[in-house]
Amino acid sequence: NIAVDIDMSPEKEKSIDELAIHFIYLLYIYREFMAQHNEFGRISEDRAAAYLMARGYTIRERNWRFDRKEVDIIAQKNGVIAFVEVKARRNDYFGDAIDAITDNKIRNLIHAANAYVRYHRLNLSIRFDVITVTGELGSQVVEHIEDAFYPPVY
């Protein structure tokens, strides 16, 4: 057994209360930030889907999930299924949006795409695209990279 002597003098008790208040305030700020961040991502995905539709794609699915993997957009045009990863950034302060696509993300997209093709028994060509959406809402720039990566051969 370990005994811990905690000093709960009035000064210490006051500093613990202040710490708790600061913690709750920081938690509130974090939640507000994440709500704005998630909303920005959703709006950017909407922008990417609209971009594809304006270019003749049919949106088959949005946020399609398999296991713990997700494909942002599954689109079709001219007999080709495009599995699209959308990356959004307000600016390039933390790097280009495309740099956020890791090998693990690619693996997850490939597994989800494989499951989608099997589930729907598709016999179409597929490819993996990336759409980057950069800038503040109202002045975003959309870039579509077709065949952004190829599935690795194991």
Side-chain angles (χ1 to χ4, degrees), residues 67-78:
D67 198 16
R68 293 184 187 161
K69 299 153 184 66
E70 180 183 72
V71 180
D72 293 331
I73 299 172
I74 301 173
Q76 183 174 345
K77 181 179 178 181
N78 300 329

Side-chain angles (χ1 to χ4, degrees), residues 42-58:
R42 187 192 61 73
I43 291 169
S44 297
E45 283 187 14
D46 290 346
R47 179 84 192 265
Y51 176 93
L52 290 170
M53 289 187 295
R55 282 151 184 79
Y57 287 84
T58 300

